[in-house]
């Protein structure tokens, strides 16, 4: 059972890194540093969008309009970190 919890923690860590990569890539595209006409950039951007958007969309619909500032990745990262702490401190020690 501890192995399953370890895998869950690793997947949550990986998802945090995907959220950070998605945010950085969206900034690079918005500031025209990278171009989405490049097939590799377009495919990476599409992959990151499809992976992160299902969890970010409900947070965005809940948040008020902040004038173009999107803090939904930060909120999702905080939620994931809270889940990791709950698993580490409360669930993991009670599993044999």
């Amino acid at each position: 059972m501890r192995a399953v919890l370890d895998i869950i923690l690793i997947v949550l860590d990986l998802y945090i890194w995907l959220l950070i990569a998605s945010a950085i890539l969206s900034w690079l595209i918005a500031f025209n540093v990278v171009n989405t006409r490049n097939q590799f950039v377009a495919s990476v951007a599409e992959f990151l969008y499809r992976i992160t958007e299902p969890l970010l969309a409900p947070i965005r619909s809940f948040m008020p309009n902040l004038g173009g500032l999107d803090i939904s990745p930060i909120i999702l990262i905080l939620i994931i970190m809270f889940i990791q702490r709950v698993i580490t401190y409360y669930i993991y020690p009670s599993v044999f």
Side-chain angles (χ1 to χ4, degrees), residues 65-70:
N65 186 6
L66 297 175
L69 182 64
D70 185 21

Side-chain angles (χ1 to χ4, degrees), residues 29-91:
I29 291 171
F31 293 126
N32 208 15
V33 175
V34 294
N35 196 347
T36 56
R37 285 180 273 168
N38 183 344
Q39 185 64 31
F40 178 73
V41 173
S43 64
V44 169
E46 181 68 22
F47 169 75
L48 290 174
Y49 178 80
R50 287 180 185 225
I51 290 294
T52 59
E53 191 60 28
L55 292 179
L56 289 175
I59 295 172
R60 286 186 183 132
S61 67
F62 179 76
M63 292 298 298
N65 186 6
L66 297 175
L69 182 64
D70 185 21
I71 61 168
S72 59
I74 297 170
I75 293 172
L76 185 56
I77 288 172
L78 290 174
I79 292 170
I80 291 173
M81 289 174 72
F82 174 74
I83 292 170
Q84 286 177 329
R85 297 297 188 262
V86 167
I87 290 172
T88 303
Y89 294 129
Y90 297 110
I91 298 173

